[in-house]
């Protein structure tokens, strides 16, 4: 049987945890540039995965269903969505012949746009953003962006960077909805430290790569070369949650993926997700999901687990 394509094949990225079982939701980081997926034919994925970029999906034809942070979301022809790849996601179903264009925007571009503060906060809190207004030429434009990003001509890529960033800004301005209906907003921030974007990106990446280890807020700040107190302030302004909340969220994202895609014991899931004690895991899990891990696993598998392979 042919191996299903992975994100590494799709994006040419490098997994952070290559030693883990393939069913583990690998965190994958690319080169942090604007780039495009090589594959257009949508395939079911073998398990949830996570990556650092903001992902845009434009469905050319057919329909696809995502498992996204514990929910099923379907997107069909002519719709444009974007989300943060650090939230675990997986294509669990699609109509035969479904095709899409998958583009990736680095965190730095997304963080560095001051006018997107409210929009950005929704994305980092796990929203799936759908553009409410599309243009007749969007299909042609997305196809051209994909071709030029894959073509490798730096002059073309520079133009795509500007155009794609502007397109994201238009989504924010012209109207959007959260397909998960969980957007959480913060006040706009005027904090414009010249190194702010780089610092936040470094901290987000460090969390993505090391949240399954025993790390602290101080460790995250040091990874960006910042004093812990200053790091906490910069991170909260940029992402809308504390560093500790981001670490716990990442661990819970990993835990829910493991509960659904593996038969690991709950104790194993807790420790493999970075929690130092079962009590801390149960408390954090119940606070976020409103039920115990065993109940969550049973409910999710009864609902759609037979399609997650």
């Amino acid at each position: 049987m042919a191996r299903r394509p992975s994100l590494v094949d799709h994006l040419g990225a490098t997994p952070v945890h290559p030693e883990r079982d393939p069913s583990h939701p690998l965190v994958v980081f690319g080169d942090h540039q604007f780039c495009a997926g090589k594959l257009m034919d949508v395939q079911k994925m073998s398990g949830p995965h996570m990556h650092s970029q903001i992902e845009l999906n434009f469905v050319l034809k057919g329909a696809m269903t995502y498992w996204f942070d514990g929910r099923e979301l379907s997107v069909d022809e002519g719709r444009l969505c974007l989300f943060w790849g650090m939230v675990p996601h997986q294509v669990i179903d699609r109509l035969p012949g479904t095709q899409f264009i998958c583009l990736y925007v680095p965190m730095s571009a997304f963080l560095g746009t001051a006018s997107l503060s409210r929009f950005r906060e929704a994305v980092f809190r796990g929203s799936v953003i759908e553009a409410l207004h599309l243009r007749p030429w969007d299909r042609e434009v997305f196809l051209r962006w994909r071709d030029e990003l894959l073509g490798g001509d730096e002059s073309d890529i520079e133009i795509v960077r500007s155009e794609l960033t502007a397109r994201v800004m238009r989504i924010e301005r012209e109207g959007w909805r959260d397909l998960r209906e969980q957007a959480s907003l913060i006040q706009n921030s005027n904090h414009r430290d010249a190194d702010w974007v780089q610092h936040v990106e470094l901290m987000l990446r460090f969390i993505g790569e090391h949240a399954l280890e025993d790390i602290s807020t101080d460790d995250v700040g040091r990874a960006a070369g910042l004093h812990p107190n200053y790091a906490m302030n910069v991170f909260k302004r940029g992402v809308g949650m504390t560093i500790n909340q981001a670490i716990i969220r990442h661990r819970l994202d990993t835990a829910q993926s493991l509960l659904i895609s593996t038969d690991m014991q709950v104790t194993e899931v807790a420790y493999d997700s970075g929690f130092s004690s079962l009590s801390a895991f149960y408390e954090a899990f119940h606070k976020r999901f409103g039920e115990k891990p065993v109940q969550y696993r049973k409910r999710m598998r009864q609902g759609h687990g037979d399609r997650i392979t």
Side-chain angles (χ1 to χ4, degrees), residues 17-273:
H17 303 293
E19 75 285 356
R20 294 187 182 274
D21 185 271
S23 61
H24 198 285
L26 296 176
V27 181
V28 181
F29 290 84
D31 58 4
H32 297 279
Q33 303 298 312
F34 285 82
C35 49
K38 298 176 183 177
L39 304 178
M40 294 179 68
D41 293 327
V42 178
Q43 303 291 333
K44 291 184 182 180
M45 293 162 53
S46 58
H49 70 223
M50 304 152 79
H51 57 83
S52 60
Q53 297 90 344
I54 303 299
E55 180 173 334
L56 288 89
N57 291 169
F58 187 88
V59 182
L60 297 172
K61 64 177 181 178
M64 55 192 289
T65 300
Y66 264 122
W67 177 88
F68 190 91
D69 193 21
R71 299 185 180 212
E72 285 189 15
L73 301 170
S74 295
V75 185
D76 53 18
E77 182 174 341
R79 294 170 67 186
L80 170 62
C81 297
L82 68 83
F83 55 86
W84 188 27
M86 287 302 289
V87 179
H89 54 285
Q90 174 187 359
V91 177
I92 59 174
D93 204 0
R94 84 279 184 261
L95 293 177
T98 298
Q99 290 188 326
F100 75 154
I101 295 172
C102 194
L103 304 180
Y104 299 89
V105 176
M107 288 185 297
S108 56
F110 203 73
L111 290 166
T113 308
S115 62
L116 296 181
S117 180
R118 171 179 170 269
F119 186 75
R120 179 179 65 229
E121 167 63 8
V123 172
F124 282 128
R125 286 202 176 272
S127 301
V128 179
I129 302 296
E130 179 180 13
L132 295 181
H133 298 284
L134 297 178
R135 295 168 173 77
W137 55 83
D138 269 327
R139 178 188 180 94
E140 178 183 346
V141 169
F142 271 82
L143 283 168
R144 189 185 73 238
W145 285 339
R146 174 184 178 274
D147 289 344
E148 291 178 342
L149 288 172
L150 292 176
D153 185 290
E154 190 56 40
S155 297
D156 288 341
I157 293 174
E158 184 61 35
I159 295 173
V160 174
R161 290 190 189 109
S162 299
E163 293 178 342
L164 187 49
T165 300
R167 186 67 184 91
V168 172
M169 294 176 69
R170 286 190 180 279
I171 294 174
E172 192 280 334
R173 178 169 180 167
E174 296 176 353
W176 51 276
R177 63 171 177 162
D178 176 10
L179 295 184
R180 298 199 328 159
E181 299 181 350
Q182 289 186 347
S184 177
L185 312 181
I186 58 172
Q187 295 297 317
N188 191 13
S189 170
N190 293 321
H191 181 77
R192 300 308 301 159
D193 185 335
D195 297 324
W196 174 79
V197 171
Q198 180 182 4
H199 288 152
V200 174
E201 183 174 6
L202 285 172
M203 288 188 281
L204 285 168
R205 176 167 185 168
F206 183 83
I207 291 172
E209 294 178 334
H210 299 284
L212 308 188
E213 304 165 16
D214 182 18
I215 61 171
S216 66
T217 56
D218 288 0
D219 295 326
V220 177
R222 280 194 294 269
L226 301 177
H227 184 278
N229 291 338
Y230 182 65
M232 287 188 287
N233 181 51
V234 170
F235 191 90
K236 180 65 184 294
R237 286 175 178 268
V239 181
M241 66 181 82
T242 67
I243 292 175
N244 193 54
Q245 287 172 334
I247 294 172
I248 292 174
R249 179 187 177 88
H250 185 87
R251 290 171 176 171
L252 289 173
D253 285 340
T254 302
Q256 65 165 327
S257 298
L258 292 175
L259 287 169
I260 293 174
S261 62
T262 77
D263 292 320
M264 294 170 61
Q265 296 294 319
V266 171
T267 300
E268 294 180 88
V269 170
Y271 291 119
D272 205 45
S273 300

